[in-house]
């Protein structure tokens, strides 16, 4: 990465971390994916029950592999015999891992979901929620963050599902559709955490996820 862009990203992360703090959430800066992995593991005690929804960024920094290889109770819903039971168990987890679809530079998190298992767990249930977020997802305000979530994250995410064909899959932008195949069923705006030390956000100076 160009050193000037890298420095700009550092400053943006610094501002966003202050914004998160003002909303009772804790932010961290990681210069690299490796730093992000180390920071994440420092926050998760061994023997913790850890699970997640769909989160490409969590995989991209190597956190899932590290948890599976370590002394953690990692519940992988994709490998569970009963996926519904695994998703319900997430509400009593010690740590819930996620990324976000967008966030503002003053600390508001935006997430869109289909089944709502991810947004509901972010909102309530797990003792702690740990977000892994690439610097590419930071937006200057709530309007631009919502537009990013709808017109960048969702149309990219839908490409993973061969059986689903909402309008955005072909056009690459949101149509505010009511297609039976839509994955934009629930929108969660996290503007403040009532419980201090519950929500943690690691900002990575790299482009991660969608």
């Amino acid at each position: 990465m160009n050193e000037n862009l890298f420095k700009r990203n550092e400053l943006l992360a610094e501002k966003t971390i202050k914004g998160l703090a003002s909303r009772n959430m804790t932010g961290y800066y990681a210069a690299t994916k490796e730093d992000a992995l180390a920071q994440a593991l420092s926050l998760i005690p061994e023997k913790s029950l850890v699970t997640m929804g769909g989160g490409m960024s969590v995989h991209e920094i190597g956190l899932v592999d590290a948890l599976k290889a370590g002394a953690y109770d990692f519940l992988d819903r994709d490998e569970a015999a009963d996926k519904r039971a695994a998703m319900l168990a997430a509400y009593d987890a010690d740590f819930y891992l996620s990324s976000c679809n967008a966030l503002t530079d003053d600390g508001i998190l935006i997430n869109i979901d289909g089944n709502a298992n991810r947004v509901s767990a972010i909102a309530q249930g797990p003792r702690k929620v740990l977000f892994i977020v690439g610097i590419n997802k930071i937006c200057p305000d709530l309007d631009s963050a919502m537009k990013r979530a709808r017109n960048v994250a969702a149309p990219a995410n839908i490409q993973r599902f061969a059986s689903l064909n909402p309008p955005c899959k072909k056009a690459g932008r949101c149509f505010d559709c009511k297609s039976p195949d839509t994955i934009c069923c629930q929108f969660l705006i996290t503007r403040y955490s009532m419980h201090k030390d519950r929500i943690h956000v690691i900002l990575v100076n790299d482009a991660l996820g969608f």
Side-chain angles (χ1 to χ4, degrees):
M1 183 185 296
N2 178 277
E3 63 179 342
N4 297 309
L5 180 58
F6 190 87
K7 179 60 178 178
R8 173 264 182 190
N9 290 348
E10 282 186 329
L11 297 171
L12 182 58
E14 181 180 346
K15 178 180 180 182
T16 306
I17 288 169
K18 290 179 180 177
L20 288 164
S22 76
R23 300 176 183 280
N24 217 24
M25 296 181 273
T26 306
Y28 309 84
Y29 170 74
T32 65
K33 294 177 185 177
E34 292 76 16
D35 290 343
L37 175 59
Q39 179 65 66
L41 292 175
S42 75
L43 294 170
I44 306 173
E46 290 187 344
K47 299 184 180 180
S48 295
L49 174 59
V50 186
T51 189
M52 61 182 289
M56 299 301 296
S57 302
V58 180
H59 286 277
E60 288 178 38
I61 69 165
L63 182 53
V64 172
D65 290 340
L67 292 170
K68 287 182 175 181
Y72 305 91
D73 184 6
F74 183 72
L75 177 59
D76 190 335
R77 66 173 187 177
D78 293 327
E79 296 178 359
D82 187 338
K83 290 189 177 183
R84 174 176 167 77
M87 287 190 286
L88 291 174
Y91 298 117
D92 196 37
D94 297 309
F95 277 83
Y96 189 82
L97 309 178
S98 184
S99 187
C100 66
N101 298 130
L103 76 160
T104 66
D105 62 10
D106 66 343
I108 299 174
L109 298 155
I110 306 296
N111 283 283
I112 300 176
D113 212 350
N115 289 320
N117 60 292
R118 183 172 65 101
V119 296
S120 60
I122 290 169
Q124 197 272 339
R127 292 166 183 80
K128 294 183 187 294
V129 181
L130 175 58
F131 288 92
I132 308 299
V133 184
I135 205 80
N136 53 307
K137 295 186 177 181
I138 300 178
C139 301
D141 52 45
L142 185 57
D143 181 61
S144 59
M146 188 64 75
K147 287 178 177 175
R148 185 195 189 280
R150 299 182 72 165
N151 292 289
V152 178
N157 193 31
I158 195 63
Q159 306 302 324
R160 300 190 299 128
F161 303 99
S163 63
L164 301 179
N165 289 288
C168 68
K169 191 169 190 177
K170 292 183 178 179
R173 66 176 181 84
C174 181
F175 286 83
D176 195 25
C177 76
K178 297 177 184 177
S179 165
D181 287 343
T182 183
I183 58 170
C184 299
C185 299
Q186 290 85 20
F187 291 66
L188 176 65
I189 298 174
T190 305
R191 61 169 299 277
Y192 195 89
S193 177
M194 180 175 288
H195 306 287
K196 189 173 180 59
D197 197 41
R198 179 173 183 265
I199 295 180
H200 299 258
V201 182
I202 299 176
L203 299 174
V204 190
N205 199 338
D206 204 338
L208 299 178
F210 303 135

